[in-house]
C-alpha cells in the first residue's frame, strides 16, 4: 500500500512473502515452497493475481516492482 501522507510504499502480505521467497530461492532451485491462501477469496483481489497465476508468472506491484514466480513455488487456494 502507498501511504498518502509520506508516499512510502509498504508491501502487503502476499507480496512480502513472495519477495522473501524470491530472495531466498536464488541458488535453492530444488527446495519447493508453497503459499497457501485459506479463507474467502475476493474476486477483485484474485483479478489482480491473474498475471502471477497465468503463463507469464509475473506479479507487478502498484509501485512498479515486478516479481517472477520461481518454478519451485506453488500457490494454492483453499476455499
Amino acid at each position: 500500500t502507498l501511504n498518502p501522507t509520506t508516499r512510502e510504499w509498504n508491501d502487503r502480505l502476499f507480496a512480502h512473502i513472495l519477495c522473501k521467497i524470491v530472495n531466498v530461492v536464488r541458488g535453492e532451485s530444488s527446495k519447493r515452497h508453497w503459499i497457501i491462501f485459506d479463507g474467502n477469496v475476493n474476486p477483485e483481489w484474485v483479478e489482480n493475481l491473474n498475471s502471477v497465476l497465468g503463463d507469464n508468472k509475473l506479479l507487478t506491484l502498484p509501485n512498479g516492482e515486478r516479481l517472477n514466480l520461481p518454478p519451485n513455488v506453488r500457490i494454492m487456494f483453499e476455499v
Side-chain angles (χ1 to χ4, degrees):
T1 60
L2 182 66
N3 183 320
T5 306
T6 65
R7 307 297 291 167
E8 183 178 328
W9 173 259
N10 293 311
D11 288 337
R12 292 291 184 127
L13 184 59
F14 175 68
H16 178 75
I17 290 171
L18 184 57
C19 193
K20 283 180 74 172
I21 290 173
V22 166
N23 289 332
V24 169
V25 164
R26 293 186 182 124
E28 291 187 2
S29 59
S30 63
K31 186 177 181 181
R32 189 157 288 184
H33 296 270
W34 289 85
I35 300 174
I36 301 172
F37 294 92
D38 181 17
N40 295 336
V41 176
N42 180 329
E44 183 179 321
W45 177 75
V46 171
E47 182 70 28
N48 293 330
L49 289 179
N50 270 344
S51 63
V52 78
L53 299 174
D55 291 338
N56 63 3
K57 302 201 183 308
L58 179 71
L59 177 65
T60 303
L61 301 176
N63 68 350
E65 184 179 0
R66 294 174 179 240
L67 301 172
N68 284 311
L69 188 69
N72 59 330
V73 177
R74 303 289 185 260
I75 299 173
M76 184 169 90
F77 294 90
E78 182 180 332
V79 291

